[in-house]
PDB file of all heavy atoms in Angstrom:
ATOM      1  N   ARG A 322      96.823 187.579 196.080  1.00 87.00           N
ATOM      2  CA  ARG A 322      95.483 188.337 196.167  1.00 87.00           C
ATOM      3  C   ARG A 322      95.651 189.691 195.627  1.00 87.00           C
ATOM      4  O   ARG A 322      94.777 190.233 194.940  1.00 87.00           O
ATOM      5  CB  ARG A 322      94.976 188.262 197.604  1.00 87.00           C
ATOM      6  CG  ARG A 322      93.632 188.891 197.750  1.00 87.00           C
ATOM      7  CD  ARG A 322      93.076 188.995 199.217  1.00 87.00           C
ATOM      8  NE  ARG A 322      93.251 187.674 199.869  1.00 87.00           N
ATOM      9  CZ  ARG A 322      93.981 187.389 200.910  1.00 87.00           C
ATOM     10  NH1 ARG A 322      94.703 188.343 201.511  1.00 87.00           N
ATOM     11  NH2 ARG A 322      93.996 186.219 201.388  1.00 87.00           N
ATOM     12  N   ASP A 339      90.171 182.523 189.785  1.00 91.00           N
ATOM     13  CA  ASP A 339      89.117 181.507 189.898  1.00 91.00           C
ATOM     14  C   ASP A 339      89.505 180.433 190.916  1.00 91.00           C
ATOM     15  O   ASP A 339      88.751 179.871 191.632  1.00 91.00           O
ATOM     16  CB  ASP A 339      88.809 180.976 188.529  1.00 91.00           C
ATOM     17  CG  ASP A 339      88.220 181.943 187.570  1.00 91.00           C
ATOM     18  OD1 ASP A 339      87.731 182.993 188.011  1.00 91.00           O
ATOM     19  OD2 ASP A 339      88.207 181.662 186.288  1.00 91.00           O
ATOM     20  N   TYR A 340      90.835 179.999 190.817  1.00 87.00           N
ATOM     21  CA  TYR A 340      91.291 178.956 191.772  1.00 87.00           C
ATOM     22  C   TYR A 340      91.148 179.510 193.233  1.00 87.00           C
ATOM     23  O   TYR A 340      90.688 178.740 194.060  1.00 87.00           O
ATOM     24  CB  TYR A 340      92.760 178.710 191.463  1.00 87.00           C
ATOM     25  CG  TYR A 340      93.364 177.821 192.445  1.00 87.00           C
ATOM     26  CD1 TYR A 340      93.164 176.333 192.404  1.00 87.00           C
ATOM     27  CD2 TYR A 340      94.169 178.267 193.531  1.00 87.00           C
ATOM     28  CE1 TYR A 340      93.702 175.470 193.259  1.00 87.00           C
ATOM     29  CE2 TYR A 340      94.640 177.296 194.423  1.00 87.00           C
ATOM     30  CZ  TYR A 340      94.466 176.036 194.309  1.00 87.00           C
ATOM     31  OH  TYR A 340      94.988 175.160 195.240  1.00 87.00           O
ATOM     32  N   MET A 341      91.602 180.703 193.436  1.00 85.00           N
ATOM     33  CA  MET A 341      91.555 181.276 194.769  1.00 85.00           C
ATOM     34  C   MET A 341      90.130 181.347 195.232  1.00 85.00           C
ATOM     35  O   MET A 341      89.800 181.129 196.430  1.00 85.00           O
ATOM     36  CB  MET A 341      92.283 182.619 194.822  1.00 85.00           C
ATOM     37  CG  MET A 341      93.747 182.459 194.575  1.00 85.00           C
ATOM     38  SD  MET A 341      94.629 184.021 194.600  1.00 85.00           S
ATOM     39  CE  MET A 341      94.438 184.620 196.266  1.00 85.00           C
ATOM     40  N   LYS A 342      89.221 181.727 194.365  1.00 87.00           N
ATOM     41  CA  LYS A 342      87.816 181.862 194.708  1.00 87.00           C
ATOM     42  C   LYS A 342      87.199 180.525 195.104  1.00 87.00           C
ATOM     43  O   LYS A 342      86.533 180.326 196.131  1.00 87.00           O
ATOM     44  CB  LYS A 342      87.067 182.539 193.522  1.00 87.00           C
ATOM     45  CG  LYS A 342      85.625 182.906 193.865  1.00 87.00           C
ATOM     46  CD  LYS A 342      85.038 183.686 192.713  1.00 87.00           C
ATOM     47  CE  LYS A 342      83.722 184.343 193.098  1.00 87.00           C
ATOM     48  NZ  LYS A 342      83.180 185.041 192.005  1.00 87.00           N
ATOM     49  N   ARG A 343      87.593 179.414 194.287  1.00 87.00           N
ATOM     50  CA  ARG A 343      87.093 178.025 194.586  1.00 87.00           C
ATOM     51  C   ARG A 343      87.601 177.562 195.920  1.00 87.00           C
ATOM     52  O   ARG A 343      86.869 176.959 196.630  1.00 87.00           O
ATOM     53  CB  ARG A 343      87.501 177.155 193.481  1.00 87.00           C
ATOM     54  CG  ARG A 343      86.666 177.180 192.184  1.00 87.00           C
ATOM     55  CD  ARG A 343      86.992 175.976 191.325  1.00 87.00           C
ATOM     56  NE  ARG A 343      88.337 175.656 191.079  1.00 87.00           N
ATOM     57  CZ  ARG A 343      89.133 176.229 190.150  1.00 87.00           C
ATOM     58  NH1 ARG A 343      88.615 177.181 189.319  1.00 87.00           N
ATOM     59  NH2 ARG A 343      90.333 175.888 189.996  1.00 87.00           N
ATOM     60  N   ARG A 344      88.838 177.886 196.249  1.00 81.00           N
ATOM     61  CA  ARG A 344      89.443 177.476 197.450  1.00 81.00           C
ATOM     62  C   ARG A 344      89.201 178.416 198.628  1.00 81.00           C
ATOM     63  O   ARG A 344      89.807 178.177 199.707  1.00 81.00           O
ATOM     64  CB  ARG A 344      90.944 177.255 197.270  1.00 81.00           C
ATOM     65  CG  ARG A 344      91.339 176.211 196.281  1.00 81.00           C
ATOM     66  CD  ARG A 344      91.080 174.914 196.818  1.00 81.00           C
ATOM     67  NE  ARG A 344      91.451 173.871 195.869  1.00 81.00           N
ATOM     68  CZ  ARG A 344      91.164 172.571 196.025  1.00 81.00           C
ATOM     69  NH1 ARG A 344      90.649 172.221 197.195  1.00 81.00           N
ATOM     70  NH2 ARG A 344      91.585 171.701 195.143  1.00 81.00           N
ATOM     71  N   ARG A 345      88.483 179.498 198.343  1.00 79.00           N
ATOM     72  CA  ARG A 345      88.121 180.448 199.387  1.00 79.00           C
ATOM     73  C   ARG A 345      89.469 181.098 199.941  1.00 79.00           C
ATOM     74  O   ARG A 345      89.570 181.255 201.158  1.00 79.00           O
ATOM     75  CB  ARG A 345      87.324 179.851 200.512  1.00 79.00           C
ATOM     76  CG  ARG A 345      85.992 179.422 199.950  1.00 79.00           C
ATOM     77  CD  ARG A 345      85.104 178.914 201.018  1.00 79.00           C
ATOM     78  NE  ARG A 345      83.848 178.425 200.438  1.00 79.00           N
ATOM     79  CZ  ARG A 345      83.124 177.515 200.897  1.00 79.00           C
ATOM     80  NH1 ARG A 345      83.461 176.881 202.059  1.00 79.00           N
ATOM     81  NH2 ARG A 345      81.976 177.112 200.309  1.00 79.00           N
ATOM     82  N   LEU A 346      90.399 181.475 199.032  1.00 76.00           N
ATOM     83  CA  LEU A 346      91.563 182.021 199.461  1.00 76.00           C
ATOM     84  C   LEU A 346      91.584 183.578 199.276  1.00 76.00           C
ATOM     85  O   LEU A 346      92.573 184.294 199.413  1.00 76.00           O
ATOM     86  CB  LEU A 346      92.774 181.438 198.612  1.00 76.00           C
ATOM     87  CG  LEU A 346      92.998 179.932 198.908  1.00 76.00           C
ATOM     88  CD1 LEU A 346      93.986 179.397 197.805  1.00 76.00           C
ATOM     89  CD2 LEU A 346      93.464 179.611 200.226  1.00 76.00           C
ATOM     90  N   ARG A 347      90.430 184.079 198.873  1.00 62.00           N
ATOM     91  CA  ARG A 347      90.342 185.529 198.721  1.00 62.00           C
ATOM     92  C   ARG A 347      89.575 186.215 199.725  1.00 62.00           C
ATOM     93  O   ARG A 347      88.792 185.700 200.462  1.00 62.00           O
ATOM     94  CB  ARG A 347      89.577 185.725 197.414  1.00 62.00           C
ATOM     95  CG  ARG A 347      90.345 185.282 196.118  1.00 62.00           C
ATOM     96  CD  ARG A 347      89.664 185.723 194.925  1.00 62.00           C
ATOM     97  NE  ARG A 347      89.625 187.189 194.858  1.00 62.00           N
ATOM     98  CZ  ARG A 347      88.949 187.897 194.071  1.00 62.00           C
ATOM     99  NH1 ARG A 347      88.235 187.299 193.089  1.00 62.00           N
ATOM    100  NH2 ARG A 347      88.907 189.170 194.060  1.00 62.00           N
TER     101      ARG A 347
END
Side-chain angles (χ1 to χ4, degrees):
R322 182 181 310 119
D339 295 344
Y340 174 83
M341 291 176 69
K342 192 174 190 177
R343 281 193 313 276
R344 297 289 184 182
R345 298 183 181 151
L346 299 170
R347 293 187 61 190

